[in-house]
Amino acid sequence: MRRISLWSASGFRFIFCMFSRPFSHPSDSSSTKVEMDDPDRLFGRLPEGCISHILSYTTPRDACRSSTLSHTFKSASESDTVWEKFLPSDCSEILSKSVNPVEFSSKKELYFRLCDPILIDGGKMSFSIEKTTGKKCFMLSARELSIVWGDTPSYWKWTNHPQSRFAEVAVLNSVCWLEIHGLINSRMLSPKTTYSAHFIMGYDVGSHGLEFPLAEVSVRLGSQVSEHTASLQSEENRSNRDRLWNMLNRPNMWRRTGAGNARCTARVPLPRSNGWSEIELGDCYNDEGDEGKVNMSLLEVKGGNWKAGVIIEGIEIRPKV
């Protein structure tokens, strides 16, 4: 059955017309007109299971909107038939990996419960679903990443953080070679979906050496390669330190526009609502999930200057919506 987008009552009237032809009585036009103005009577001819089946081919947003049309649709839109279709096909397997049991009384309740991240795989990874589409999202914790010299105490410190969902974060003491990689199997992701990877970070007291050289960030999946440059320094710190003159003289980070102004072409950390910042590393299209592993990386290995004060929570890979 073709996916149906339901944005208004007129869309449901169209569905009703398709499914109610065997029950129509052309001679009773006045009765039909009354039913068209009364959603409960209009759709009362259709079994609730039939309506649920139709809704399962729409979207979570459409299903929620349909509940306002009539009592019949409200009941049908909350059925497990609808919301089980919106959940990932491997949802049971994912729940079995949850650090803490996920309690729910219906598939709809489970769906919205999973819109908030749950810890899986011993707490080294988190899983959630994108609210409007049901697509899968993952975050690899710092412990799940490959961090060069990450186990050397003079370079990196592992500690807990009050704002982190994970038990540990990595705090950069001081390095001149910054190399971080993350891997996730494409089969774990939703198929036919474009994903973007984001480096989730914060700043420790006394952070320095993060402006230049620019880091090289990338996402690779099969033959797909998405490469960019990024500054690790926050916008606030760059403004406070008045680095404008230096930036204007670094062609890797700035380019001239037609008006003679300079505009930054490197990616910069953007604030998240939970107190962390994120840098988009790149994106890729996950076709059938059999392309292999998504390789996400952040490197600054050419400058040789010492840097400190970055706090790493992990790398998040989520659908581009």
Side-chain angles (χ1 to χ4, degrees):
M1 181 179 290
R2 187 178 296 175
R3 183 178 291 273
I4 305 170
S5 181
L6 308 175
W7 296 105
S8 65
S10 61
F12 291 104
R13 291 192 177 97
F14 174 72
I15 294 173
F16 169 75
C17 290
M18 290 193 300
F19 283 86
S20 62
R21 284 187 181 277
F23 307 101
S24 298
H25 300 284
S27 61
D28 191 9
S29 58
S30 61
S31 174
T32 302
K33 183 179 185 304
V34 171
E35 289 186 355
M36 289 293 286
D37 293 330
D38 185 344
D40 276 325
R41 292 184 63 184
L42 173 64
F43 296 106
R45 290 183 171 186
L46 290 175
E48 184 178 307
C50 180
I51 297 175
S52 296
H53 183 72
I54 295 171
L55 291 176
S56 71
Y57 283 87
T58 64
T59 68
R61 177 181 294 176
D62 291 335
C64 289
R65 288 180 173 181
S66 72
S67 65
T68 64
L69 290 179
S70 70
H71 294 296
T72 302
F73 263 89
K74 178 175 174 56
S75 178
S77 67
E78 294 180 349
S79 73
D80 283 352
T81 299
V82 175
W83 292 94
E84 185 169 15
K85 194 71 174 289
F86 298 151
L87 289 166
S89 58
D90 58 348
C91 187
S92 297
E93 179 183 352
I94 293 172
L95 291 177
S96 69
K97 300 178 181 178
S98 177
V99 172
N100 299 307
V102 180
E103 299 181 355
F104 58 94
S105 58
S106 67
K107 293 299 175 65
K108 180 180 180 180
E109 183 181 349
L110 174 60
Y111 182 94
F112 286 102
R113 171 67 182 85
L114 293 178
C115 290
D116 294 322
I118 62 172
L119 294 179
I120 61 174
D121 288 354
K124 293 184 178 181
M125 185 183 299
S126 72
F127 166 80
S128 62
I129 57 178
E130 201 282 318
K131 190 173 184 178
T132 60
T133 63
K135 302 287 188 180
K136 294 190 281 187
C137 311
F138 292 91
M139 186 188 291
L140 309 179
S141 70
R143 276 295 186 190
E144 194 73 1
L145 304 178
S146 172
I147 303 176
V148 172
W149 294 323
D151 292 325
T152 305
S154 59
Y155 296 143
W156 292 90
K157 176 177 66 175
W158 293 89
T159 184
N160 59 5
H161 192 286
Q163 291 178 300
S164 176
R165 68 185 61 171
F166 301 112
E168 287 182 303
V169 298
V171 181
L172 174 57
N173 289 330
S174 186
V175 295
C176 62
W177 183 287
L178 183 62
E179 182 174 352
I180 302 166
H181 296 276
L183 287 174
I184 187 169
N185 196 309
S186 60
R187 290 187 179 277
M188 296 176 62
L189 307 176
S190 298
K192 305 296 183 183
T193 303
T194 298
Y195 276 90
S196 58
H198 301 260
F199 183 70
I200 311 303
M201 60 184 294
Y203 298 95
D204 199 12
V205 177
S207 62
H208 63 84
L210 305 178
E211 298 96 332
F212 305 109
L214 295 175
E216 299 173 355
V217 298
S218 66
V219 173
R220 300 171 184 268
L221 174 59
S223 61
Q224 301 179 64
V225 180
S226 177
E227 296 179 320
H228 306 275
T229 57
S231 171
L232 297 177
Q233 187 62 275
S234 69
E235 183 68 36
E236 178 182 2
N237 286 346
R238 283 198 305 276
S239 299
N240 291 343
R241 297 181 185 186
D242 195 21
R243 298 293 188 180
L244 182 58
W245 175 255
N246 289 334
M247 290 179 180
L248 290 174
N249 287 278
R250 294 182 183 268
N252 287 336
M253 187 171 183
W254 295 81
R255 64 179 174 84
R256 295 288 179 178
T257 64
N261 297 320
R263 184 164 69 86
C264 181
T265 59
R267 298 188 168 182
V268 297
L270 300 176
R272 290 162 62 99
S273 60
N274 58 4
W276 294 92
S277 296
E278 66 177 32
I279 298 174
E280 184 176 351
L281 304 179
D283 54 44
C284 64
Y285 178 72
N286 187 46
D287 191 9
E288 296 294 341
D290 56 2
E291 290 81 6
K293 292 186 177 182
V294 181
N295 188 326
M296 304 158 283
S297 64
L298 183 150
L299 298 86
E300 199 291 279
V301 298
K302 297 178 179 179
N305 66 310
W306 290 84
K307 53 191 67 65
V310 171
I311 305 174
I312 302 176
E313 186 181 32
I315 294 180
E316 181 179 61
I317 181 166
R318 62 180 189 249
K320 298 193 80 168
V321 294

